[in-house]
Amino acid sequence: MSTLQDYRQIVRNQDRYDAMIRSRPDVKRNIAYFEANIGKISSAEELLKDDKLYRFVMVAFDLESQTYARALIRKVLDQGVKDPEALANRMNDAKFKEMATVLSFKETGGATLKEPAIVKAIVDRYVDVSLEVKAEESNPAVRLALYFDRKAPRITNWYQVMADRALQKVVFTALDIPEQSALGDLDRLVDKLKKRFDIADFKDPAKLGKFLDRFSAMYDLKNGGPTGASTNLPYIGPINSRGRSSIIAIDPSITMSLLNFPRF
């Protein structure tokens, strides 16, 4: 199938795909262990000592590739997010801050991990990432389309796009912009993007859908069909769960409010 067909099939059958992943024996075991033990964790040190919980969390926050960097992860979690100078606030990858915010070891001693809604949200994200990995096996570009679909409504300027390699990949592909353009003058590139597409249109589901239709067609054209090589695809966030309310997926300012943190 084409990228567009694969993408739409997952979106239309989200519940079925979700159930398929949850029924896998390894996923069932991992979820059961996480749900039974995460509420006992109150610090980064305790989390890192339990390898099963640690790896589950890293997968859920789409940081599995950083699992080896235990010293870095501990520092991120120990410093929290309230201090503007905390490591999580200074890192380019927002997923570290997202993880530190939700686990809240610095702010609440991990009290958030005793909240059923937050535990469920982390489990849901773990399932989403597992589904994403499965989907990528047949068509890696679907991951980009789903990620862009989830992020696009909150994009307010082109600098946000350029700061996220996955968003940039979709835009460059859809608008047929050479990837080496990102190495040039950023302000000039942003001006070019403004002329090519009204960023406000990403908030319109119909216009966003047409944009992703174009991305899907252009991606397959440039990569020789839906099975094109994935070596140049950036590592991105998990598949968006249609209709699922997840504290991890919502706007950071709302997350802070729900966790009773002061905004910064």
Side-chain angles (χ1 to χ4, degrees):
M1 288 192 293
S2 68
T3 295
L4 181 59
Q5 288 173 316
D6 285 343
Y7 163 69
R8 287 180 172 175
Q9 178 170 296
I10 290 177
V11 170
R12 286 196 305 264
N13 300 283
Q14 179 71 40
D15 290 342
R16 180 168 64 84
Y17 278 93
D18 184 278
M20 176 186 70
I21 294 297
R22 289 175 185 268
S23 67
R24 282 172 31 186
D26 60 326
V27 173
K28 290 175 67 174
R29 287 194 301 269
N30 292 341
I31 291 176
Y33 185 86
F34 178 80
E35 291 177 335
N37 294 281
I38 192 61
K40 305 172 186 176
I41 302 299
S42 60
S43 68
E45 180 181 6
E46 292 178 358
L47 177 65
L48 268 66
K49 283 183 177 179
D50 191 317
D51 195 60
K52 289 184 179 180
L53 291 180
Y54 172 62
R55 291 181 180 278
F56 190 100
V57 168
M58 294 298 283
V59 170
F61 286 93
D62 197 30
L63 289 169
E64 186 176 14
S65 64
Q66 300 298 314
T67 301
Y68 71 93
R70 289 174 177 262
L72 172 67
I73 299 303
R74 179 169 182 169
K75 190 172 183 179
V76 166
L77 296 179
D78 280 343
Q79 292 185 8
V81 296
K82 291 176 66 176
D83 183 350
E85 294 302 313
L87 182 58
N89 293 327
R90 293 185 285 112
M91 297 184 76
N92 291 330
D93 192 337
K95 292 191 290 290
F96 290 95
K97 181 178 179 180
E98 184 182 37
M99 178 174 64
T101 299
V102 175
L103 300 187
S104 72
F105 291 130
K106 173 70 172 179
E107 291 77 11
T108 71
T112 55
L113 298 177
K114 294 179 173 60
E115 294 293 331
I118 293 180
V119 172
K120 180 181 182 301
I122 297 174
V123 169
D124 288 345
R125 273 286 290 266
Y126 178 86
V127 173
D128 289 341
V129 173
S130 299
L131 175 54
E132 177 194 284
V133 171
K134 184 65 178 176
E136 190 175 24
E137 292 175 3
S138 60
N139 191 338
V142 172
R143 186 179 202 176
L144 286 168
L146 289 163
Y147 181 76
F148 196 92
D149 189 20
R150 173 164 55 90
K151 300 282 284 188
R154 293 203 298 272
I155 296 174
T156 59
N157 62 73
W158 287 110
Y159 292 99
Q160 291 175 314
V161 172
M162 294 305 300
D164 186 315
R165 290 184 61 239
L167 298 180
Q168 176 189 306
K169 177 77 174 180
V170 172
V171 169
F172 278 20
T173 301
L175 300 181
D176 197 21
I177 297 174
E179 292 192 11
Q180 57 266 33
S181 298
L183 303 176
D185 183 87
L186 180 59
D187 291 333
R188 183 175 298 178
L189 176 57
V190 167
D191 286 339
K192 180 179 180 180
L193 290 169
K194 288 179 179 178
K195 294 176 182 178
R196 294 287 301 277
F197 192 86
D198 185 353
I199 203 166
D201 286 350
F202 288 143
K203 300 184 187 303
D204 184 323
K207 293 178 179 179
L208 174 59
K210 290 182 179 179
F211 187 84
L212 288 174
D213 285 355
R214 179 173 174 79
F215 160 73
S216 300
M218 291 294 292
Y219 178 88
D220 285 352
L221 179 64
K222 291 183 175 184
N223 291 275
T227 58
S230 63
T231 54
N232 293 322
L233 288 183
Y235 192 64
I236 62 178
I239 281 177
N240 185 28
S241 300
R242 306 290 166 170
R244 174 182 294 159
S245 176
S246 170
I247 195 171
I248 304 175
I250 61 178
D251 184 84
S253 63
I254 302 175
T255 304
M256 301 298 275
S257 175
L258 289 174
L259 298 182
N260 297 315
F261 293 164
R263 294 180 61 181
F264 54 88

